[in-house]
Amino acid sequence: MSSSETPKTWLSQDAHDRLQAELDELIANRPAIAAEINARREEGDLRENGGYHAAREEQSRQEGRILYLKEFLRNSEIGEVQKSDTVTPGSVVTIYFDDDQTDTETFLLGSREISSTTAHTVYSPESALGQAILGARPGQTVTYTAPSGADIKVTVVEFGPFEG
C-alpha cells in the first residue's frame, strides 16, 4: 500500500502533541546512543561485548520507533471528532455482548497509538469489532468474526465523541 493509499488516523491535538514529543525526545537521544555505542566499542572484542550489543539493539529499537512515529504522524488527521448519528473513528462506544445487557464494555474506537493517552481501552477501526460497528447506530446489533473464528454478536448501546 503506498502512502497515498494509507488511511488517515484521527488524533486529538493532545494525543498528537504527546506522540510528537516522544518523537522529538527519541531524535534528541540519538547522539547519546551513538556515544554509548562508541564507548562500548572501545572496551575491546565486540564478539564478547554484551554492552556493545545491548546499545546497538537499543539504537535499532529507537530508530524503528522513530520511523514508525514519523510515518504515523504524517498519516494522521488532527482535530475534533465531528458529531455523527453513527459510530465513527474517535467515538467512545458502549456495547453489550450477545443478548446480555449486563455484559457491557466501553472503549475508544481509534488508533492503538493513542492508548497511552487515555484510560479507555482502544480498539482499532480496522479490527474485526471496529469494522463491524463502524456506521452502527444506538440499538443496532451487529455480528463479527473474532480472530479465534467465533461469531460474536454485539449491540451498540451508546457512543459519543472522545473528549481527550
Side-chain angles (χ1 to χ4, degrees):
M1 177 181 282
S2 74
S3 60
S4 64
E5 298 170 4
T6 303
K8 292 285 186 185
T9 300
W10 172 86
L11 291 175
S12 67
Q13 185 65 54
D14 185 49
H16 180 273
D17 292 347
R18 289 181 191 173
L19 292 171
Q20 184 64 53
E22 179 187 351
L23 176 61
D24 294 344
E25 183 178 324
L26 288 170
I27 290 171
N29 195 41
R30 280 175 163 164
I33 292 290
E36 177 72 15
I37 290 170
N38 286 335
R40 298 297 182 175
R41 182 180 293 130
E42 292 174 5
E43 291 176 354
D45 187 359
L46 296 182
R47 290 175 293 178
E48 297 179 16
N49 189 331
Y52 171 79
H53 293 291
R56 290 294 309 252
E57 287 174 15
E58 179 62 16
Q59 179 188 43
S60 177
R61 186 192 68 76
Q62 286 191 7
E63 288 300 319
R65 182 72 176 159
I66 287 169
L67 290 173
Y68 174 80
L69 286 172
K70 282 182 175 180
E71 183 69 11
F72 183 81
L73 290 170
R74 189 172 66 76
N75 289 306
S76 64
E77 254 182 67
I78 304 162
E80 298 305 315
V81 176
Q82 300 297 314
K83 298 271 187 214
S84 174
D85 57 353
T86 63
V87 175
T88 60
S91 298
V92 175
V93 183
T94 301
I95 59 171
Y96 65 82
F97 294 90
D98 297 318
D99 294 318
D100 183 359
Q101 294 184 14
T102 64
D103 185 13
T104 64
E105 182 175 0
T106 300
F107 55 89
L108 171 62
L109 186 63
S111 167
R112 305 281 292 161
E113 274 304 314
I114 62 175
S115 63
S116 64
T117 68
T118 179
H120 290 291
T121 299
V122 179
Y123 288 108
S124 168
E126 290 81 30
S127 69
L129 172 59
Q131 289 178 12
I133 65 171
L134 275 175
R137 298 177 187 283
Q140 186 174 350
T141 301
V142 297
T143 302
Y144 70 96
T145 303
S148 66
D151 286 337
I152 300 175
K153 183 171 77 169
V154 298
T155 301
V156 175
V157 176
E158 63 183 357
F159 67 93
F162 176 59
E163 301 295 331

